[in-house]
Every structure is written in structure tokens, then in C-alpha cells.
Amino acid sequence: MRVVPVLVSADNYAYLLIDEPTRKAAVVDVLDVEKVQAVADKEGVSIVAGITTHHHQDHSGGNKACLFLTSLMYWPLTVSTYPSIPVYGGFDVPAKTHLVEDGGEFTVGDNIHVRCLATPCHTKDSICFHATDTSIKSQSGGVFTGDTLFLGGCGRFFEGTAEQMHASLSKLAALPDDTVVYNGHEYTAGNVAFAKTIEPENPAIGRLFKLAQENKVTTGLSTIGDEKEWNVFMRLDKVAIMQATGAEGPGAVMNKLRELKNNFRG
């Protein structure tokens, strides 16, 4: 299993999830079909599935746009032209062929197993996808988190509550610590700047700051274990964070953290 990030706009990531032995791949959160296809061509892989984390246009927009592509020089993510290509997504995702829910499973190529984790809050239909290579049992794989979990941060609560975000991040926190995080946007620099104001004495946040300084692309450089050490939204029970928010209890602390981050201009 190999994951290739594709920057499809200023900060939006799509991904190719590649099964190396078969040279088959799924595209995660396609927005710009031509950019994704160009990378697929470079990698020498065939697109066999689409995966969408939630319905927001910057993650699902390519699904519907592909319905109107007819030239074979592009990959049309279209049921009518290519009925064998599934498009996986939650209940509100446009142009999906396969509705997925919490606990759902499917495969990519011969070796990649994907498990669906419902993580409502940013949107009600948000699904994170935990992908593992069945041929390498010792590895914990990676999780595509869309706009639920970012390196050092989390998504806004557009369609949910602080309690829901806490529950969703707790679900992700239960994955193996060495699970690699592939998020939906390059927001790391801003997230770590905010985290330093909340938990300034946390040495792990210093590591995240260094990572952001040294890498223009940070997705794929963090694990669930790392996030539990440096992501303030996953550390709601820490004294420093409760003091910074002036709140107690996961829901109240999460809600105040999100309010502070929304207004942060550092």
C-alpha cells in the first residue's frame, strides 16, 4: 500500500491510495480530475474507485464534474460510462454509487482493506476511512480524515456539536498509535501557532512546529499517536488546556477551544 498526496488547490489534498502489486488505485476526495489523472499517469496506476470523506464541494466537487467528461484522456468518475467503478461516500455525498456507514468495509485492488468510521460534526455525513495493507499485517496503515482531524487541529462544527467532535476524535484516537494521518487541508502552520498559545509548555508542540517549518507538505508525516501528544483538540483532559479555556468537561472544553481557534489571528 502506498499513498500519494495530490494538491488540487491552494491547500486542498486529494490522494491516490495505491495497491502496488496490482497497480490499482482509489482516489480520495477528488476535486480536480485532470490533476489527479496526471499524477495517476505518472505513477502508472489505474483508478478503480472513488472515496469521498464528506459532501463539501472542495472534497466531492470532482465526483459530479466527472459525470460530464466524455474524453478517454481523462478518468470519468461516472456510473453511466464506467459502471464497474464504485464511488464510496456518506449519505449526502453527490454522485456516489455506494453509500457507506460506520463499520462498513470494502477493498481496493487485491490487498487494501478499507474500514469506514462515521465521524459526524464538521458535516453530518463525514466518514473517515482507515486503510490497511492485508499483505503486511504488522503495519497499521493510514486514515483519511477529511476535515474532521487535521495535523494539530480539527474541523469547524458546521453541522454538529462540540460533543460530537469529541466523540469523533475519540473514535480516531482508538486507532493504533502508528496509524498515519492523511488530512484534507494543509493547515498545520496555523494549527501549531494556535496550539502554542494554549499549551506552550508541551514539548510535542515544539516538534510539530519544527515539522511545519521544515515541510511544505505535512500530510502523512503525523500519526494518531503524535496527534494525541500535540493536538490540543485531542487533549481535553489536560490541566493546561482546561486552564486556557476556563472550562471543564470534554464538551465545554472542546466548545471553547473551537471558539478560540475561530477567532485566532496569530
Side-chain angles (χ1 to χ4, degrees):
M1 185 181 96
R2 187 162 61 92
V3 176
V4 178
V6 183
L7 196 61
V8 289
S9 72
D11 59 39
N12 258 90
Y13 286 114
Y15 295 93
L16 288 175
L17 172 60
I18 301 172
D19 180 37
E20 290 276 27
T22 63
R23 309 305 298 164
K24 294 178 179 179
V27 59
V28 181
D29 284 355
V30 63
L31 173 62
D32 187 315
V33 179
E34 295 180 39
K35 286 184 179 179
V36 170
Q37 183 59 49
V39 176
D41 290 343
K42 181 180 178 181
E43 297 291 335
V45 298
S46 300
I47 303 292
V48 298
I51 298 172
T52 308
T53 59
H54 62 292
H55 70 265
H56 284 167
Q57 192 274 340
D58 58 337
H59 295 263
S60 67
N63 293 4
K64 190 174 293 185
C66 288
L67 293 173
F68 302 101
L69 293 180
T70 57
S71 171
L72 293 180
M73 68 181 290
Y74 301 124
W75 163 61
L77 191 71
T78 165
V79 181
S80 58
T81 306
Y82 293 94
S84 62
I85 295 179
V87 182
Y88 299 96
F91 63 86
D92 215 13
V93 168
K96 66 183 174 293
T97 66
H98 288 58
L99 172 67
V100 294
E101 298 177 334
D102 191 50
E105 300 177 327
F106 58 90
T107 59
V108 176
D110 293 342
N111 302 286
I112 298 176
H113 173 263
V114 181
R115 183 164 63 98
C116 307
L117 305 171
T119 52
C121 182
H122 181 71
T123 64
K124 292 178 181 178
D125 67 342
S126 175
I127 302 284
C128 293
F129 296 88
H130 181 213
T132 53
D133 189 333
T134 59
S135 68
I136 309 177
K137 303 290 187 182
S138 61
Q139 294 186 4
S140 299
V143 60
F144 298 93
T145 60
D147 288 359
T148 295
L149 172 66
F150 298 120
L151 271 69
C154 73
R156 291 178 182 252
F157 310 161
F158 287 131
E159 299 180 10
T161 65
E163 288 77 12
Q164 285 180 308
M165 181 58 78
H166 172 58
S168 292
L169 294 181
S170 296
K171 183 179 289 187
L172 294 174
L175 293 173
D177 278 351
D178 58 345
T179 304
V180 179
V181 175
Y182 299 102
N183 57 193
H185 293 269
E186 187 55 59
Y187 290 163
T188 307
N191 288 340
V192 72
F194 172 70
K196 288 169 67 177
T197 70
I198 300 297
E199 203 179 11
E201 302 303 317
N202 181 351
I205 292 175
R207 291 194 292 112
L208 180 60
F209 178 75
K210 185 171 185 290
L211 184 151
Q213 281 192 315
E214 295 178 350
N215 298 275
K216 184 177 180 181
V217 174
T218 62
T219 188
L221 300 182
S222 172
T223 65
I224 290 296
D226 290 327
E227 294 305 315
K228 289 192 285 189
E229 291 185 5
W230 64 41
N231 190 324
V232 295
F233 293 93
M234 298 182 78
R235 297 170 55 79
L236 306 182
D237 60 340
K238 305 305 177 186
V239 172
I241 294 175
M242 288 189 286
Q243 289 177 340
T245 59
E248 293 184 9
V253 176
M254 177 70 80
N255 195 60
K256 186 61 178 181
L257 271 180
R258 186 66 258 175
E259 178 185 330
L260 291 170
K261 180 62 170 66
N262 290 350
N263 295 316
F264 180 68
R265 297 295 180 266

